[in-house]
């Protein structure tokens, strides 16, 4: 049977992640999502919410910055299949509109953009960064203006989503099935995952130590975390014994990140904005691209960079305000870098912004006019992660091999497994939607990523391998130090 479900969501669903509903077979899911009346009448479960983030690193006197985190809300299995199927329907209309407007190459994120006209392989952030840096190199004298939309997903207007959705469908009012999807995406309900786990006894506090922990590992957790009756009583608070854990988006703006259709809505929402910015860049003989909420203009200059910068900044602010009353350009993150051609080649000058002091930073890389590097903060974060992982892995290795001395522990430690496990590249951090549909993403490590980046950037990317030169040596030394410390601590007890 020719399955109509978007394959980008199906493999993840078949992993049976924990949620309020039971697993569905692809056949069952397809029967639901392809029947508009069943979609219209579907009772959507609340989304489960958790936070994804990390601690940024800043050296110097600036102090430790606040941790970066964003709320992720993911749907129950049946609901996710519905969202994914309607994403597929509307995505085809959106792609046709981009093509008709001639701006297909300006919207980069969450889309399958072929590496070449005759290739099935999709571009990833490395390709997009290479395109940008190559344009800078080709233009010689130019200015790069990087803008950022503040809290984008949380700020987009519901009435405008509905208006554009109708426009793409060519209707004045959303059909009932589409409206059900729209309504549950915008006026969504959600439950904090930790609160749910505590209520259901999955997350418990040890009465002796006071430490909170899970009663089961994630891989052993039930795929359906509660029965329908437990959901009604313990989560929804229907029995009166428990208060309800269900929260609702109280605003007429904002959509949840993590739902299979959210990325598409976030893209099509800015159709008018993208068209306007594309035309502005074209009039200035430059280029405009947007990767989700990251906007980049690359414009040639002839000693008139100040005028160009002011024109683009003013136009972008005005256009984003028109797109929604809660949307704004994050001025404190706006970065401007100007490039010049001199006798020794291309060089740059940082004009403004918190980033760009060492060259334009874009999609995880930076370009100084000669070479491309992985962003310094990314490398620093990788080394800190390795140090933390080394301590944990070493402690576990000592615990598993209580009779071995330090030298024996060092020899028996599985370094290959450590690097395989702790150098994983997170898809959402580096890759666009379906970016590597020709590769098995499970096998990708940071080394794979570095190797691919070095190949795509060519000679300009040579420094990238040097940035990673000491990573393994550093990790091995941290593991050796941790093993010695663990054995020493154990001996002194």
């Amino acid at each position: 049977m020719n399955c109509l479900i978007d394959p980008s969501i199906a493999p993840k669903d078949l992993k049976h992640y924990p949620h309020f509903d039971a697993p569905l077979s692809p056949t069952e899911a397809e029967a639901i999502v392809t029947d508009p009346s069943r979609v219209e009448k579907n009772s959507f479960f609340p989304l489960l919410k958790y936070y994804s983030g990390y601690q940024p690193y800043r050296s110097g006197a600036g102090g430790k910055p606040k941790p970066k985190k964003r709320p992720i809300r993911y749907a129950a299995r049946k609901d996710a299949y519905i969202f994914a199927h309607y994403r597929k329907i509307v995505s085809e209309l959106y792609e046709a509109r981009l093509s008709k407007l001639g701006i297909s190459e300006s919207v980069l994120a969450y889309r399958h953009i072929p590496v070449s006209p005759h290739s099935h392989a999709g571009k990833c952030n490395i390709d997009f960064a290479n395109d940008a840096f190559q344009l800078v190199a080709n233009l010689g004298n130019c200015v790069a203006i990087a803008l950022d939309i503040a809290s984008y997903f949380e700020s987009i207007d519901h009435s405008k989503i509905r208006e554009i959705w109708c426009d793409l469908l060519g209707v004045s009012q959303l059909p009932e099935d589409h409206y059900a999807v729209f309504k549950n995406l915008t006026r969504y309900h959600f439950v904090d995952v930790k609160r749910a786990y505590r209520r259901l006894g999955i997350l418990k506090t040890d009465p002796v130590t006071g430490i909170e922990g899970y009663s089961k590992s994630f891989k052993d957790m039930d795929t359906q975390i509660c029965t329908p009756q437990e959901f009604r009583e313990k989560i929804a608070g229907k029995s009166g014994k428990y208060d309800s854990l269900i929260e609702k988006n109280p605003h007429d703006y904002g959509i949840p990140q993590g739902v299979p259709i959210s990325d598409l809505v976030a893209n099509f929402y800015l159709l008018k904005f993208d068209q306007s910015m594309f035309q502005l860049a074209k009039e200035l003989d430059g280029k405009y691209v947007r990767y989700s909420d990251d906007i980049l203009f690359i414009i040639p200059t002839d000693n008139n960079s100040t005028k160009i910068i002011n024109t683009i900044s003013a136009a972008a602010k005005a256009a984003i305000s028109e797109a929604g009353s809660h949307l704004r350009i994050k001025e404190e993150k706006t970065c401007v870098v100007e490039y010049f051609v001199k006798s020794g080649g291309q060089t740059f000058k940082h004009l403004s912004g918190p980033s760009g002091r060492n060259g334009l930073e874009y999609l995880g890389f930076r370009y100084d006019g000669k070479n491309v590097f992985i962003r310094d903060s990314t490398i620093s974060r990788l080394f800190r992660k390795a140090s933390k992982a080394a301590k944990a892995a070493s402690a576990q290795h000592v615990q598993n091999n209580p009779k071995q001395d330090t030298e024996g522990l060092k020899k028996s430690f599985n370094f290959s497994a450590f690097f395989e496990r702790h150098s994983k590249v997170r898809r959402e951090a580096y890759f666009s939607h379906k970016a590597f549909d020709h590769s098995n993403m499970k096998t990708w490590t940071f080394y794979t990523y570095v190797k691919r980046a070095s190949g795509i950037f060519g000679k300009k990317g040579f420094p990238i391998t040097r940035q990673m030169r000491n990573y393994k040596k550093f990790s091995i030394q941290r593991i050796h130090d941790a093993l010695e410390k663990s054995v020493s601590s154990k001996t002194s007890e």
Side-chain angles (χ1 to χ4, degrees):
M1 179 170 55
N2 181 23
C3 186
L4 298 177
I5 297 170
D6 187 340
S8 67
I9 190 67
K12 183 175 70 173
D13 280 354
L14 296 178
K15 288 182 180 177
H16 299 174
Y17 57 80
H19 217 296
F20 295 127
D21 63 344
L24 286 172
S25 72
T27 303
E28 291 174 308
E30 185 173 354
I32 294 169
V33 304
T34 56
D35 185 341
S37 64
R38 295 184 69 174
V39 172
E40 175 191 338
K41 296 172 185 176
N42 181 60
S43 296
F44 286 76
F45 275 105
L47 309 172
L48 279 175
K49 182 188 79 171
Y50 70 96
Y51 287 94
S52 173
Y54 66 93
Q55 173 63 60
Y57 172 75
R58 294 287 185 277
S59 59
K64 191 175 183 180
K66 292 181 179 179
K68 288 190 175 182
K69 64 178 185 178
R70 58 191 175 102
I72 303 296
R73 299 176 178 90
Y74 59 102
R77 273 167 287 272
K78 180 174 63 171
D79 304 339
Y81 275 115
I82 291 172
F83 283 127
H85 180 66
Y86 280 76
R87 182 196 193 284
K88 182 175 184 291
I89 293 171
V90 182
S91 178
E92 292 173 357
L93 301 171
Y94 173 63
E95 290 294 330
R97 183 66 60 86
L98 288 177
S99 181
K100 181 180 179 180
L101 294 173
I103 59 173
S104 293
E105 293 186 4
S106 289
V107 184
L108 307 181
Y110 319 126
R111 299 177 55 229
H112 179 76
I113 301 176
V115 172
S116 66
H118 305 293
S119 173
H120 293 293
K123 285 188 175 184
C124 69
N125 73 302
I126 307 172
D127 299 287
F128 298 136
N130 184 52
D131 291 344
F133 299 153
Q134 193 59 53
L135 178 59
V136 169
N138 291 343
L139 289 175
N141 296 322
C142 62
V143 63
I145 305 166
L147 308 170
D148 183 90
I149 305 173
S151 303
Y152 177 50
F153 278 75
E154 292 78 19
S155 304
I156 58 182
D157 185 89
H158 294 169
S159 62
K160 288 184 180 293
I161 293 173
R162 188 173 180 175
E163 178 185 326
I164 300 166
W165 199 321
C166 285
D167 181 52
L168 289 171
L169 291 175
V171 297
S172 58
Q173 184 174 328
L174 287 177
E176 292 300 325
D177 54 330
H178 281 263
Y179 178 72
V181 176
F182 161 80
K183 181 179 68 175
N184 284 280
L185 176 70
T186 53
R187 303 310 296 266
Y188 59 90
H189 294 74
F190 64 96
V191 174
D192 182 90
V193 69
K194 285 193 174 181
R195 293 185 69 196
Y197 283 0
R198 290 187 190 107
R199 180 68 58 85
L200 296 170
I202 298 170
L203 193 59
K204 298 180 179 179
T205 300
D206 188 292
V208 178
T209 64
I211 298 174
E212 189 173 57
Y214 291 91
S215 57
K216 296 180 181 179
S217 65
F218 186 83
K219 65 183 179 69
D220 294 326
M221 199 176 293
D222 295 330
T223 54
Q224 186 173 12
I225 60 176
C226 61
T227 65
Q229 183 176 346
E230 286 175 320
F231 174 82
R232 288 191 294 271
E233 293 181 357
K234 295 185 177 182
I235 304 299
K238 295 296 184 183
S239 66
K241 185 177 179 181
Y242 301 93
D243 60 311
S244 173
L245 297 181
I246 300 174
E247 300 176 67
K248 181 181 179 180
N249 176 24
H251 308 295
D252 58 0
Y253 58 89
I255 60 172
Q257 286 185 264
V259 174
I261 199 172
S262 295
D263 57 354
L264 171 67
V265 172
N267 262 352
F268 77 50
Y269 185 86
L270 289 180
L271 257 172
K272 187 176 178 181
F273 176 87
D274 291 330
Q275 189 178 8
S276 175
M277 295 301 99
F278 171 85
Q279 187 60 36
L280 174 61
K282 185 178 180 181
E283 290 170 1
L284 296 170
D285 296 321
K287 186 171 183 178
Y288 156 81
V289 288
R290 178 175 63 84
Y291 192 102
S292 188
D293 54 2
D294 291 328
I295 295 164
L296 179 65
F297 290 87
I298 301 172
I299 310 294
T301 57
D302 291 308
N303 301 317
N304 61 347
S305 60
T306 301
K307 181 179 178 181
I308 290 172
I309 294 164
N310 291 339
T311 298
I312 286 176
S313 296
K317 289 175 191 174
I320 206 68
S321 295
E322 282 186 28
S325 58
H326 298 280
L327 289 173
R328 70 176 181 89
I329 298 294
K330 198 182 293 185
E331 293 188 49
E332 62 273 21
K333 286 193 69 176
T334 297
C335 170
V336 183
V337 180
E338 188 166 9
Y339 287 84
F340 310 90
V341 174
K342 290 191 174 182
S343 56
Q346 193 177 39
T347 187
F348 75 94
K349 180 181 180 182
H350 173 254
L351 298 184
S352 66
S355 66
R357 300 184 188 280
N358 296 314
L360 172 65
E361 293 186 0
Y362 188 56
L363 301 183
F365 299 92
R366 67 176 174 85
Y367 177 58
D368 66 0
K370 296 181 179 65
N371 296 304
V372 177
F373 304 80
I374 292 177
R375 282 195 340 179
D376 298 331
S377 59
T378 302
I379 295 294
S380 297
R381 191 158 63 246
L382 179 69
F383 275 71
R384 291 198 308 277
K385 178 183 173 184
S387 184
K388 184 178 179 180
K391 291 178 183 178
S394 299
Q396 187 64 51
H397 188 57
V398 171
Q399 185 178 332
N400 293 344
N401 301 277
K403 296 182 179 180
Q404 288 188 358
D405 60 13
T406 304
E407 290 306 310
L409 288 166
K410 290 179 181 179
K411 289 179 180 178
S412 61
F413 190 90
N414 191 334
F415 290 98
S416 296
F418 175 84
F419 289 120
E420 172 72 19
R421 187 167 61 252
H422 295 289
S423 298
K424 290 288 186 186
V425 172
R426 293 189 303 119
R427 177 186 172 107
E428 64 271 23
Y430 300 109
F431 304 109
S432 68
H433 182 63
K434 298 183 186 175
F436 284 101
D437 50 358
H438 61 295
S439 302
N440 182 358
M441 290 297 300
K442 291 181 181 179
T443 67
W444 277 66
T445 67
F446 205 83
Y447 280 102
T448 315
Y449 181 67
V450 166
K451 185 177 179 181
R452 176 150 181 106
S454 298
I456 289 175
F457 289 120
K459 291 181 180 179
K460 285 187 174 66
F462 180 72
I464 292 174
T465 53
R466 290 207 307 267
Q467 287 179 284
M468 290 292 292
R469 181 173 51 194
N470 295 321
Y471 174 69
K472 282 195 174 182
K473 184 178 178 181
F474 169 87
S475 299
I476 291 170
Q477 186 59 54
R478 284 290 184 273
I479 290 166
H480 283 175
D481 292 345
L483 288 172
E484 290 172 3
K485 187 174 181 179
S486 294
V487 171
S488 176
S489 175
K490 186 178 177 182
T491 304
S492 62
E493 289 179 355

